[in-house]
Structures are given as C-alpha cells and as structure tokens.
Amino acid sequence: MDHLAISIPSHVRARPKRRRARSAYIIRQGLIIAAALILLVVFAAAVRAGLARNGIGFDLGFLLRQANFEISEGVLPTWEGWRQFSSNDSNGQALLVGFFNTVKVSAVAIALSTLLGVLWGVARVSRNWLLRQASFLVVEFVRNTPLLIQLVFWYFAVALKMPALTEASSHLGALFSQQGIFLPWIVVSESTSVLSASALILSILLLAAAGRFRRPRRRLLALAGLFAAGSLAHGLPLSVSIPRADGMLVSDGLSLSPEFAALVAALTVYTAAFIAEIVRGAILALPRGQWEAAAALGFGTRTTFNEIVIPQVLRMVLPSFANQYISLVKSTSLGIAIGYSDLFNVYGTVANQSGRSLEGILIAMSSYLVLSWLVSAITNAANRRLLRAGGQR
Amino acid sequence: MNRSNLIRWGRKNLFRTPVDGLITLIVSGTGACIAESFVRWAAVSAHWSVVIENLRVFMVGTYPAELTGHAWWAGVLLCLVFVLSGAAIFARKPTEESSQTFHLARRLLPWGSALALVATVMLLSPNVMERWGGLLMSVLFTLLASALSLPLGIALALGRRSRYASARCICSGYIEVMRSLPLILVVYCIWIIVPLLAPTNPGPDLLRGLLGFTLFFAAYVAEYVRSGLQSIPLGQVEAAQSLGMSARQVNFQIVLPQALRVAIPGLVGNVLDIFNTVPLLFIIGMTDFLRAGQMILVNPQSGNRTYEIYTFMFAVYLAVASLITYTARRLEDRMSRGRQ
C-alpha cells in the first residue's frame, strides 16, 4: 500500500499539512516570545519587590546629587574644557570621569600593545633561533598566567617597589618613582605665534601626503622641509618639557600615576602576547612561494617583509585584533584591584555613597556594551577600508 | 665533524647577518643577566620558608583549622578524579578482550567524576562554604563552573540554530551581550541581584559567584559548541531526517556527539580561562589562591617577602595551565588521528 501513497502527487497532499505546520510554527514562535517576555516581567517585578522591601525604588535621581567624594586622578569634561573633579560635582559627573579614565587607559594600552605585539609576533618567526625561542617562552608565560596576578605584580611588586621620589634617578629625562612615572613630553611653547604653528602643521600634513602619494614625493618632502624650517625660524612652536623633581613635587613633563602605569603595563604585555600569536599565525599562513618569488625577483628580506608580507598580514589579522581590543577594554575593569579610578571603581564608590548599586551597575554595564561595540565598529570600518585599499592596488 | 656541524648551525641560525649577530648577543646577554640574577636571588637571598610556613593558607585560605582533615580528603578525592580521567583520556586503544571493560569505564567516567565532585562539596561541608578558600577552592570552583556552564552553553548553541527565529534572536542576543561585558561586572551584578530576589536566604557568596561565572561562561561555551556544530556536514542531518528521525533525535544522537568531539579542545581551553579568571572573585570577598597570597603579604610577619610569594604563585599558575594546555593538545592530536 505504501507505494500507492507515494504515487499521489506530493503537492496535493502536502499542502494542508504544510499549512498546519506553518500555523503551528507561528504559534510556537509566539509562545517562545511570550515565555521570554513573561520571564523578563516576572524578573523585573521580583527585583522591584526586593528593592521595595529594602525601602528604595528604582530611581536615577542620584546621578544629579552631590558626590561628596574625591577622585584621586581624573579630569572632568565640561563645556568650558577639562577640569579637575571635585567633591562638589554630581555622581553622574563622577561616573563620567571614570568612563573617561577607562577610555584613556584603553586607548593607550591598545596603541602600545599593537606596537609591541606586532614586533613580538615578528620575533616569534625570526630566523634567529635564540630570539625565536626567547619570545616563545615569554609569550607562553604571559598567556598562561592570570591577568590579575600580572596586574597586581606590576603594581605591588614593580610600581610600588620603585625608589621614593626624593631618591629617584633620572633615565633619559624620565623619572621612575613610587609616586609615579614622569616622562619628558612635547608641549606647545607659550611664545608660539600663529604663523609658526600653522607652518608646522602644514609641514606635518605635507609629510603625511608624501607618505601617501608616491609620485611627487620628493617635491612634497622639500616643501615640508621648507615649512618646518620657516616655523623653526619664526620661534620654536614645540618644546620638550622635562620633568623636574623638587622634593615631593614634580613640575613639567607628563606624569603618570603608579596605578595607571601598572594597568597600562599589565594590559599591554598581556594583550601583546595574544597579538603576537595572531601575527605569527598570519605570517606562517602566507604561502612559502611568496617568499621564494620575492627572493627570485631580487627583493631583500626587509623589502619582502615591508612590501609583500606586512600588507597581506595586516589584512588577515585585523578582525582578530578587534577581539583582543574588546577583551582589553573589558579587562580595564580589573583596575579596581589596584585602585585605578576606572568606571567600575568609581561606580563602586558611587554605589557605596548613594546605596544605588543596581541603577549604577546597569549604567556601568551599558557603558561597557557601548565601548565594546564602538571598538568593534571602528575596527570593522578600518577593516573595510583596508580591504578596499587592497582591491584597488 | 660534530663540531663543524654545530658551527654551521650557529652561523645559519644565530649569526646570519651582522644585525642577526647583534640580536643574538643582546638577547643572550640580557637573558643570561636575568637568569643569573634570578638564580642567585632564588638560591641565596630568597627565604622560601615563608612559602612553607604559609602553605596551609595558600592551599585552603580561610578554611577553619579544625576541619583541615576534611580538606585533605577533598584534595585526595580531586586528585583521584584527575588521575582517573587522565588515564581514561590518554589510555592506549584497548585490545579486543579488555575493550568491554574499557568502554564501560569510559562511559562511567563522567558520572563517577560528577559523583566525586558532589562528594567533595559535601566533604568540605557547605555550612562553612563562606570560608572555603585557597587553591582548593580555585580548583573546585573551576570544575563546578565548567560543569555547570556546559549544559547551558549547549542549550544556547542549539537555540542559536533553532528553527524558530525568536529563539535564535534571544540566544544570540544573550551570547553577544554576555561576550561584550566584563566578567567582573557580571559576577558583581548577580551578587547584588540575588539578595533582592531571595531576601531571606541569599545563599553563600560562593554559590552566587558560581551563578555569575556559569551565566558568563555559558556564552563562551556556546560559541565553541557552535563552531563544532558548524563542522557537521548538512548531509548528515538530511540523512538522519530521511531515516525518519525526529529533530530531537537528530540533535542528540547524530549532531551533538560529533560536534562536541570537535569542540573539546576549545572547551578545555575554556576551562583554563575559567581557572585564570577565578581570582576575580575577590570582588565579592572570596579568598581564592591569589587573594590568599595577598593575605599572606599583608601579614606583617611575611610582608617583606613579596617576590618569594609572587614567584611561588606564578609557578603554581603556570604548572596548572601547562597541565591543562597539555591535555588540550593531546586531545586535539587524538581527535585529528581519529579522523584520518
């Protein structure tokens, strides 16, 4: 009998069944959504009831109230410019300071870890046996121990074990002390005239253009030199400010707190180890024939590397870099372990002072979500640009 | 002959060009310098007695002293589980006669491990869960969090490939959001929300932390499982369907067993990630291995021995991580051999 059933044209029988299946599908779909919504509502109601039991409601008003605490490090963006945060400012402004501290440490660590990671990755595939093995050992060590122990090691065993400021010696103009690290920094001198500053900016732009366009490079370089010379002749617009210690006070230079320095060091080294592995993988993934072809064309090692390997590797690794950057941004929240005033740390203080832990953590969570998505959006855009540039060539 | 080979090797790998030679000299110089000062410090000026005196704190943290015997037994039980699972994972392919017992043992292993884990928890007595600590707590917590996040992760991965668009949306939304949040925030958030939901008995910090870790790492497990699911050719699903298997049968009898095999190296790596993030529990006031070490550092009697304590902790972390990495690599080798 079976073969008879099969011989009936399928669409004749299947149609009502499919329609039934379709309506069952829609019903189940609705049930799933309803279940999720009910779960969410029940959860929210339970949390609300719990808050009510403690005598508080869900209220964001605390953001506008006075903070009444100081933040050791951090500047507050206002309409008039940046200024130091004070205890008269509001809780919301305190969280903003924390947010900017998180962004600051992330940006610095991302830049440094990319630089270090790429160099490290190249060292991992170096022809020099010793360099290869040494970088392998360090990468394995860093990747296989928790970030938090590295962070507390950098802070308690490195940054805080430096000599006191009064005994700190100066290395190449930089001061390394318990109270922080003070680096020489380029500043705009006070006597700068508009003319000389604009000449300098123009010369930098011309230099950038010379890097980008190949054909009139020599002319562009000459113009850049001319403008730079003109700017110099008209009074030096930039100067190097070298930190000077005077007792416990340091003037001039760029000062970094020990917390900031330790957090940047830990995040940079940790992320760079992962980036090194990505870069190494990408370099090894290039077909050997490309190296051989380049050698056959008479390219040297360095030219092959700069012109053939790096452009392709960069295109391969950028998506993986994005993941590392996101996890770096998330890891900045470990700053609380060493007392760096990042967003999570400031949130902790605000929650303690105002008793608004739940509202605060929702704000902190959404900030980290936004930051993560921002990083991935930026790297995606960069990746798209890079791919397009590759297509044009 | 041998010597000339050595020289040739050195010229090729260490002194190919002048720059190369310079790098070799710099690396070997710095390396020797660091190694020399480290060895001298470790052998001469370091006082390792601080580690030995505080071994109890390192191992069990703030665990009550009168219950130390229980901690010993728990440690023995955990070691037994590790040795047995290691034996089952790395044993050679059995001969025909012994294969039956071998397969039986292998099938019993997950249940046996789960039982042993429960026994360990009971042994350490949940009444004093607040005071669990040290390396024992770190290891136990890692095992519990890995075990609990696995089913949730599998469910999320399957949900992400569900026929129902709404289930797909919910699961991928959960995974994406969890993956963009810092773990420390998730753990802290769960820790403050649970007392709101259950004001009379919010449970010990350890369980609340465990819930946070489970919810967080389930998202990562889901991604590893998903990569495993994607490696199963669609033809297998179609073949199973054409044999008249229901969707559930296809998932649980055909797709998942194979997908999990592919996902195992990633999942073992995830266990390492969990172990390496257990120190974040300091945020809810728990004393894991790292915090136990910091407690010893704060103690004025051993305050000056910073480097000895950090060296010991780094060594332990490195040892555990190497063990896990080695396991993952062996599993990966085994699986690639099985497929050939």
Side-chain angles (χ1 to χ4, degrees), chain B residues 160-207:
Chain B
R160 204 170 181 173
R161 289 162 54 99
S162 156
R163 283 183 298 153
Y164 302 105
S166 49
R168 277 203 303 272
C169 272
I170 293 168
C171 289
S172 37
Y174 178 87
I175 292 171
E176 291 307 321
V177 167
M178 271 299 171
R179 277 159 51 90
S180 352
L181 285 175
L183 171 63
I184 198 166
L185 247 82
V186 175
V187 169
Y188 192 75
C189 183
I190 299 292
W191 187 71
I192 59 172
I193 279 185
V194 169
L196 292 176
L197 299 179
T200 48
N201 181 21
D205 292 336
L206 186 110
L207 287 187

Coordinates of all heavy atoms in Angstrom, one line a residue, chain B residues 160-207:
Chain B
R160 N 20.7 28.9 19.2 CA 21.1 29.9 18.1 C 20.9 29.3 16.7 O 20.9 30.1 15.8 CB 22.6 30.2 18.4 CG 23.0 31.5 17.8 CD 24.3 31.9 18.2 NE 24.6 33.2 17.6 CZ 25.6 34.0 17.8 NH1 26.5 33.6 18.6 NH2 25.7 35.1 17.2
R161 N 20.7 28.0 16.6 CA 20.5 27.4 15.3 C 19.1 26.8 15.2 O 18.8 26.0 14.4 CB 21.5 26.2 15.1 CG 22.9 26.7 14.9 CD 23.8 25.6 15.1 NE 23.5 24.4 14.3 CZ 24.1 24.1 13.1 NH1 25.0 24.8 12.7 NH2 23.7 23.0 12.5
S162 N 18.2 27.3 16.1 CA 16.8 26.8 16.2 C 16.1 27.1 14.9 O 16.4 28.0 14.2 CB 16.1 27.3 17.4 OG 14.8 27.3 17.2
R163 N 14.9 26.4 14.7 CA 14.1 26.7 13.6 C 13.3 28.0 13.8 O 12.8 28.7 12.9 CB 13.1 25.6 13.3 CG 13.6 24.4 12.7 CD 12.5 23.4 12.5 NE 11.9 23.0 13.7 CZ 10.7 22.5 13.9 NH1 9.9 22.5 12.9 NH2 10.2 22.1 15.1
Y164 N 13.2 28.3 15.1 CA 12.3 29.5 15.5 C 13.2 30.7 15.6 O 14.1 30.8 16.3 CB 11.6 29.2 16.8 CG 10.8 27.9 16.8 CD1 11.3 26.8 17.4 CD2 9.6 27.9 16.1 CE1 10.5 25.6 17.3 CE2 8.9 26.8 16.0 CZ 9.3 25.6 16.6 OH 8.6 24.5 16.5
A165 N 12.8 31.7 14.8 CA 13.5 32.9 14.7 C 13.6 33.6 16.1 O 14.7 34.2 16.4 CB 12.9 33.9 13.7
S166 N 12.5 33.5 16.8 CA 12.5 34.2 18.1 C 13.6 33.6 19.0 O 14.3 34.3 19.7 CB 11.1 34.1 18.8 OG 10.7 32.8 18.7
A167 N 13.6 32.2 19.1 CA 14.6 31.6 19.9 C 16.0 32.0 19.4 O 16.9 32.2 20.3 CB 14.5 30.1 19.8
R168 N 16.2 32.0 18.1 CA 17.5 32.4 17.6 C 17.9 33.8 18.1 O 19.1 34.0 18.5 CB 17.5 32.4 16.1 CG 17.7 31.0 15.4 CD 18.2 31.2 14.0 NE 17.3 32.0 13.2 CZ 16.3 31.4 12.5 NH1 16.1 30.1 12.5 NH2 15.6 32.2 11.7
C169 N 17.0 34.7 18.0 CA 17.2 36.1 18.4 C 17.6 36.1 19.9 O 18.6 36.8 20.2 CB 16.0 37.0 18.2 SG 15.9 37.6 16.6
I170 N 16.8 35.5 20.7 CA 17.1 35.6 22.1 C 18.4 35.0 22.5 O 19.2 35.6 23.2 CB 16.0 34.8 22.9 CG1 14.6 35.5 22.7 CG2 16.3 34.7 24.4 CD1 13.4 34.7 23.2
C171 N 18.8 33.8 21.9 CA 20.0 33.2 22.2 C 21.2 34.0 21.7 O 22.2 34.2 22.5 CB 20.1 31.7 21.7 SG 19.0 30.6 22.5
S172 N 21.1 34.4 20.5 CA 22.3 35.2 20.0 C 22.4 36.5 20.7 O 23.5 37.0 21.0 CB 22.4 35.3 18.5 OG 21.1 35.5 18.0
G173 N 21.3 37.1 21.1 CA 21.3 38.3 21.8 C 22.0 38.1 23.2 O 22.9 38.9 23.6
Y174 N 21.6 37.1 23.9 CA 22.3 36.7 25.2 C 23.8 36.5 25.0 O 24.6 37.1 25.8 CB 21.6 35.5 25.7 CG 22.2 35.0 27.0 CD1 21.7 35.5 28.2 CD2 23.2 34.1 27.0 CE1 22.3 35.1 29.4 CE2 23.8 33.7 28.2 CZ 23.3 34.2 29.4 OH 23.9 33.8 30.6
I175 N 24.1 35.7 24.0 CA 25.6 35.4 23.8 C 26.4 36.7 23.5 O 27.4 37.0 24.1 CB 25.7 34.4 22.7 CG1 25.2 33.1 23.1 CG2 27.2 34.3 22.3 CD1 25.1 32.1 22.0
E176 N 25.8 37.5 22.6 CA 26.6 38.7 22.2 C 26.7 39.7 23.4 O 27.8 40.3 23.6 CB 25.9 39.5 21.0 CG 25.9 38.7 19.7 CD 27.4 38.3 19.4 OE1 28.3 39.1 19.6 OE2 27.6 37.2 18.9
V177 N 25.6 39.9 24.2 CA 25.7 40.8 25.3 C 26.7 40.3 26.3 O 27.5 41.1 26.8 CB 24.3 41.0 25.9 CG1 24.4 41.7 27.2 CG2 23.4 41.9 24.9
M178 N 26.6 39.0 26.7 CA 27.5 38.5 27.7 C 28.9 38.6 27.2 O 29.8 38.9 28.0 CB 27.2 37.0 27.9 CG 26.2 36.8 29.0 SD 26.7 37.4 30.5 CE 25.2 37.2 31.5
R179 N 29.2 38.4 25.9 CA 30.5 38.5 25.5 C 31.1 39.9 25.4 O 32.3 40.1 25.3 CB 30.7 37.8 24.1 CG 30.8 36.3 24.2 CD 30.4 35.6 22.9 NE 31.1 36.2 21.8 CZ 32.3 35.7 21.3 NH1 32.8 34.7 21.9 NH2 32.8 36.3 20.3
S180 N 30.2 40.9 25.4 CA 30.7 42.3 25.4 C 30.8 42.9 26.8 O 31.2 44.0 27.0 CB 30.0 43.2 24.5 OG 29.0 42.6 23.8
L181 N 30.5 42.1 27.9 CA 30.5 42.6 29.2 C 31.7 42.1 29.9 O 32.1 40.9 29.7 CB 29.3 42.2 30.0 CG 28.0 43.0 29.7 CD1 26.8 42.4 30.4 CD2 28.1 44.4 30.0
P182 N 32.3 42.8 30.8 CA 33.4 42.3 31.6 C 32.9 41.3 32.7 O 31.8 41.5 33.3 CB 34.0 43.5 32.4 CG 33.4 44.7 31.7 CD 32.1 44.3 31.1
L183 N 33.6 40.2 32.9 CA 33.2 39.2 33.8 C 32.9 39.7 35.2 O 32.0 39.4 35.9 CB 34.2 38.1 33.9 CG 34.1 37.0 35.0 CD1 32.8 36.2 34.8 CD2 35.2 36.1 35.0
I184 N 33.9 40.6 35.6 CA 33.8 41.1 37.0 C 32.5 41.9 37.2 O 31.9 41.8 38.3 CB 35.0 42.0 37.2 CG1 35.3 42.2 38.7 CG2 34.9 43.3 36.5 CD1 36.7 42.8 38.9
L185 N 32.0 42.5 36.2 CA 30.7 43.2 36.3 C 29.5 42.2 36.4 O 28.6 42.5 37.2 CB 30.5 44.1 35.1 CG 30.5 45.6 35.4 CD1 31.9 46.1 35.5 CD2 29.7 46.4 34.4
V186 N 29.6 41.2 35.6 CA 28.5 40.2 35.6 C 28.4 39.5 37.0 O 27.4 39.4 37.6 CB 28.8 39.1 34.5 CG1 27.7 38.1 34.6 CG2 28.7 39.8 33.1
V187 N 29.6 39.1 37.5 CA 29.6 38.5 38.8 C 29.1 39.4 39.9 O 28.3 39.0 40.7 CB 31.1 38.0 39.1 CG1 31.2 37.6 40.6 CG2 31.5 36.9 38.2
Y188 N 29.5 40.7 39.8 CA 29.1 41.6 40.9 C 27.6 41.9 40.8 O 26.9 41.9 41.8 CB 29.9 42.9 40.7 CG 29.7 43.8 41.9 CD1 30.4 43.5 43.1 CD2 28.9 44.9 41.8 CE1 30.2 44.4 44.2 CE2 28.8 45.8 42.9 CZ 29.4 45.5 44.1 OH 29.2 46.3 45.2
C189 N 27.1 42.0 39.5 CA 25.7 42.3 39.3 C 24.9 41.1 39.8 O 23.9 41.4 40.6 CB 25.5 42.4 37.8 SG 23.8 42.9 37.4
I190 N 25.2 39.9 39.5 CA 24.5 38.7 40.1 C 24.5 38.7 41.6 O 23.5 38.5 42.3 CB 25.1 37.4 39.5 CG1 25.0 37.4 38.0 CG2 24.4 36.2 40.1 CD1 23.6 37.2 37.5
W191 N 25.7 39.1 42.1 CA 25.9 39.1 43.6 C 25.0 40.1 44.2 O 24.5 39.8 45.4 CB 27.4 39.4 43.8 CG 27.8 39.3 45.3 CD1 27.9 38.1 46.0 CD2 28.1 40.3 46.2 NE1 28.3 38.4 47.2 CE2 28.4 39.7 47.4 CE3 28.1 41.7 46.1 CZ2 28.8 40.4 48.5 CZ3 28.5 42.4 47.2 CH2 28.8 41.8 48.4
I192 N 24.7 41.2 43.6 CA 23.8 42.2 44.3 C 22.3 41.9 43.9 O 21.5 42.3 44.6 CB 24.1 43.6 44.0 CG1 24.1 43.9 42.5 CG2 25.5 44.0 44.6 CD1 24.3 45.4 42.2
I193 N 22.1 41.2 42.8 CA 20.7 41.0 42.4 C 20.0 39.8 43.2 O 18.9 39.9 43.6 CB 20.5 40.8 40.9 CG1 20.6 42.1 40.2 CG2 19.2 40.0 40.6 CD1 20.3 42.0 38.7
V194 N 20.8 38.8 43.5 CA 20.2 37.6 44.2 C 19.6 37.9 45.5 O 18.5 37.5 45.8 CB 21.3 36.5 44.3 CG1 20.8 35.4 45.2 CG2 21.6 35.9 42.9
P195 N 20.2 38.8 46.4 CA 19.6 39.1 47.6 C 18.3 39.8 47.4 O 17.4 39.8 48.3 CB 20.6 40.0 48.3 CG 21.9 39.7 47.7 CD 21.6 39.3 46.3
L196 N 18.1 40.5 46.3 CA 16.8 41.2 46.1 C 15.7 40.2 45.7 O 14.6 40.4 46.1 CB 17.0 42.2 44.9 CG 17.9 43.4 45.1 CD1 18.0 44.2 43.8 CD2 17.3 44.3 46.2
L197 N 16.1 39.1 45.1 CA 15.1 38.1 44.7 C 14.8 37.2 45.9 O 13.7 36.7 46.0 CB 15.6 37.3 43.5 CG 15.9 38.1 42.2 CD1 16.5 37.2 41.2 CD2 14.7 38.8 41.8
A198 N 15.8 36.9 46.7 CA 15.6 36.0 47.8 C 16.2 36.6 49.1 O 17.3 36.3 49.5 CB 16.4 34.6 47.5
P199 N 15.4 37.5 49.6 CA 15.9 38.3 50.8 C 16.2 37.5 52.0 O 17.1 37.8 52.8 CB 14.8 39.4 51.0 CG 13.6 38.8 50.4 CD 14.0 37.9 49.3
T200 N 15.4 36.4 52.2 CA 15.6 35.7 53.5 C 16.8 34.9 53.4 O 17.6 34.8 54.4 CB 14.4 34.8 53.7 OG1 14.1 34.1 52.5 CG2 13.1 35.6 54.1
N201 N 17.1 34.2 52.3 CA 18.3 33.4 52.3 C 19.0 33.5 50.9 O 18.8 32.8 50.0 CB 17.9 31.9 52.4 CG 19.0 31.0 52.4 OD1 20.2 31.4 52.7 ND2 18.8 29.7 52.1
P202 N 19.9 34.6 50.8 CA 20.5 34.8 49.5 C 21.6 33.8 49.2 O 22.1 33.8 48.1 CB 21.1 36.2 49.7 CG 21.3 36.4 51.2 CD 20.2 35.5 51.8
G203 N 21.9 32.9 50.1 CA 22.9 31.8 49.7 C 24.3 32.4 49.9 O 24.5 33.6 50.0
P204 N 25.3 31.4 50.1 CA 26.6 31.9 50.3 C 27.2 32.6 49.0 O 26.7 32.4 47.9 CB 27.4 30.6 50.6 CG 26.5 29.5 50.1 CD 25.1 30.0 50.1
D205 N 28.2 33.4 49.3 CA 28.9 34.1 48.2 C 29.3 33.2 47.1 O 29.3 33.5 45.9 CB 30.1 34.9 48.7 CG 29.7 36.0 49.7 OD1 28.5 36.5 49.5 OD2 30.5 36.4 50.5
L206 N 29.8 32.0 47.5 CA 30.4 31.1 46.5 C 29.4 30.7 45.5 O 29.6 30.7 44.3 CB 30.9 29.9 47.3 CG 31.6 28.9 46.4 CD1 33.1 28.9 46.7 CD2 31.1 27.5 46.4
L207 N 28.1 30.4 46.0 CA 27.1 30.0 45.0 C 26.7 31.1 44.1 O 26.5 30.9 42.9 CB 25.9 29.4 45.8 CG 26.1 28.1 46.4 CD1 24.8 27.5 47.0 CD2 26.7 27.1 45.4

